[in-house]
Amino acid sequence: MKLIGVVNSIDKITDFPLDGIILGTTFSSYAYYYFQKEEIKKAIVLAKKANKEIFLLINSIMHCEKETEISEFIDCFKDEDVKFIFQDLGIFNILMKKGIIHKGIYNPLTMITNAFDMHEYTILGCDAVGVSNEITLDDVVKINAYDNNVFYLGFGYHPMYQTYRKIISLYKEESKLDIELDNLFLQENTRKEDRCPTIENEYGTIVFRNGVISVLERLFELDLKYLFLDSIFINEDIYYQVINIYKDVYLHKLELQEGINRFNQLNLPINNQFMYVDSVYNPKEFE
């Protein structure tokens, strides 16, 4: 299993502790940092020297006017030793037409919840398929057993709602409230302690869970293709402590319980509610 993470500067690639690095791009709906083409070219050279894999994030919802731009962007790197992470089937079709779907990782966030769907995209040629974080970890392990081809968010904030509409701006316009679009959180009246980080940009609006996912306690039950450790909304120093804990535990340089103890000392808000319990719309129906 390869552990992959993110950086916010090409200067951090050489000494990055994990196996692979995801680079945000102009076509990322959200990312730790958005790299330009020239930076990406330099990053690929540095990563090759450091024996690291590079993954380019093109996970925006693609509209017709962006198709040519995205296609040309892919052309710039299709002959390089990189993978493309995407969620829009339009980008899937672009990769298929270019004959490089084997370099594509299809990660539609919450959409893949069973082995049948994952297997279909695997036999179509995808390098890996992202499985939902809104099913139990036991189910993820079972799904992975079919093709051993799972891409999975093992640490970080997970998007739970996404739309191409700019709903914060629409609300601001209708309410006449003076709302800053940086450092946004959404909060429900009935759950006032839950504040969900929110991003609005040119690609729309994304609402994340109110806490981070962490699979550290069950790390050795997983034998996935890629385990992604994300940093969005996480302090950089804390993030590097997290990924080093994961790496050292996985490589048996640190006992699992000691790793868990160190992780808990970071006092991160954890939300693993789907990891152990199947989600239902109306729990009372199942009592």
Side-chain angles (χ1 to χ4, degrees), residues 15-68:
D15 296 323
F16 192 67
L18 303 184
D19 304 303
I21 302 165
I22 294 178
L23 302 181
T25 73
T26 308
F27 306 106
S28 302
S29 58
Y30 66 94
Y32 184 35
Y33 180 83
Y34 301 88
F35 291 86
Q36 301 301 310
K37 286 181 183 178
E38 292 306 313
E39 291 179 294
I40 293 171
K41 291 175 183 178
K42 294 177 183 177
I44 292 170
V45 173
L46 291 170
K48 187 174 183 179
K49 290 180 181 178
N51 197 28
K52 308 286 183 188
E53 288 192 59
I54 290 291
F55 303 80
L56 302 183
L57 190 63
I58 46 176
N59 65 337
S60 57
I61 299 172
M62 186 180 73
H63 278 224
C64 295
E65 62 269 19
K66 288 286 185 179
E67 181 178 356
T68 299

Side-chain angles (χ1 to χ4, degrees), residues 11 25 29 36 54 106 118 136 146 181 187 219-220 227-228:
D11 296 331
T25 73
S29 58
Q36 301 301 310
I54 290 291
Y106 179 45
M118 193 195 82
T136 67
Y146 283 83
L181 296 181
Q187 177 180 296
L219 187 60
F220 292 114
L227 189 70
F228 175 35

Side-chain angles (χ1 to χ4, degrees), residues 8-207:
N8 60 4
S9 167
I10 61 173
D11 296 331
K12 296 175 181 176
I13 289 175
T14 301
D15 296 323
F16 192 67
L18 303 184
D19 304 303
I21 302 165
I22 294 178
L23 302 181
T25 73
T26 308
F27 306 106
S28 302
S29 58
Y30 66 94
Y32 184 35
Y33 180 83
Y34 301 88
F35 291 86
Q36 301 301 310
K37 286 181 183 178
E38 292 306 313
E39 291 179 294
I40 293 171
K41 291 175 183 178
K42 294 177 183 177
I44 292 170
V45 173
L46 291 170
K48 187 174 183 179
K49 290 180 181 178
N51 197 28
K52 308 286 183 188
E53 288 192 59
I54 290 291
F55 303 80
L56 302 183
L57 190 63
I58 46 176
N59 65 337
S60 57
I61 299 172
M62 186 180 73
H63 278 224
C64 295
E65 62 269 19
K66 288 286 185 179
E67 181 178 356
T68 299
E69 284 184 70
I70 291 175
S71 181
E72 290 174 350
F73 175 83
I74 291 171
D75 282 338
C76 288
F77 301 103
K78 68 179 182 180
D79 296 323
E80 301 285 356
D81 188 15
V82 301
K83 304 285 173 50
F84 301 94
I85 301 175
F86 64 95
Q87 66 164 317
D88 193 294
L89 287 176
I91 297 173
F92 175 92
N93 288 329
I94 290 173
L95 295 175
M96 284 287 283
K97 289 177 181 178
K98 294 180 185 296
I100 55 170
I101 191 60
H102 62 283
K103 291 189 171 191
I105 296 175
Y106 179 45
N107 182 35
L109 302 179
T110 61
M111 298 296 291
I112 304 297
T113 60
N114 62 81
F116 300 104
D117 287 344
M118 193 195 82
H119 183 65
E120 287 299 314
Y121 289 105
T122 298
I123 62 177
L124 284 170
C126 290
D127 176 65
V129 181
V131 171
S132 172
N133 282 92
E134 296 189 357
I135 59 176
T136 67
L137 204 57
D138 288 339
D139 286 342
V140 173
V141 171
K142 291 175 184 176
I143 290 170
N144 185 64
Y146 283 83
D147 294 294
N148 192 27
N149 204 34
V150 166
F151 174 96
Y152 191 70
L153 178 65
F155 171 81
Y157 283 90
H158 184 265
M160 63 178 184
Y161 174 78
Q162 181 176 224
T163 175
Y164 197 74
R165 294 172 297 166
K166 299 179 180 180
I167 57 175
I168 306 300
S169 292
L170 289 171
Y171 177 73
K172 179 179 179 179
E173 182 181 339
E174 290 297 318
S175 67
K176 310 301 182 186
L177 295 174
D178 184 18
I179 301 172
E180 296 293 331
L181 296 181
D182 295 327
N183 197 29
L184 288 171
F185 293 86
L186 290 184
Q187 177 180 296
E188 293 184 57
N189 283 333
T190 56
R191 293 188 289 183
K192 294 189 176 180
E193 294 182 0
D194 292 350
R195 303 179 72 214
C196 298
T198 302
I199 291 174
E200 180 182 292
N201 56 31
E202 65 174 306
Y203 296 113
T205 309
I206 307 170
V207 182

Side-chain angles (χ1 to χ4, degrees), residues 242-256:
V242 168
I243 61 177
N244 277 299
I245 290 170
Y246 267 81
K247 181 200 69 173
D248 288 345
V249 168
Y250 188 64
L251 295 178
H252 300 283
K253 294 180 179 179
L254 183 66
E255 292 292 330
L256 176 59

Side-chain angles (χ1 to χ4, degrees), residues 192-251:
K192 294 189 176 180
E193 294 182 0
D194 292 350
R195 303 179 72 214
C196 298
T198 302
I199 291 174
E200 180 182 292
N201 56 31
E202 65 174 306
Y203 296 113
T205 309
I206 307 170
V207 182
F208 296 76
R209 286 195 206 170
N210 65 322
V212 297
I213 293 166
S214 177
V215 301
L216 182 63
E217 293 184 6
R218 300 183 63 180
L219 187 60
F220 292 114
E221 297 177 44
L222 306 176
D223 186 24
L224 314 177
K225 189 164 188 177
Y226 302 113
L227 189 70
F228 175 35
L229 311 178
D230 197 7
S231 71
I232 195 162
F233 309 122
I234 304 290
N235 170 275
E236 185 176 25
D237 178 63
I238 296 293
Y239 177 64
Y240 271 81
Q241 291 184 62
V242 168
I243 61 177
N244 277 299
I245 290 170
Y246 267 81
K247 181 200 69 173
D248 288 345
V249 168
Y250 188 64
L251 295 178

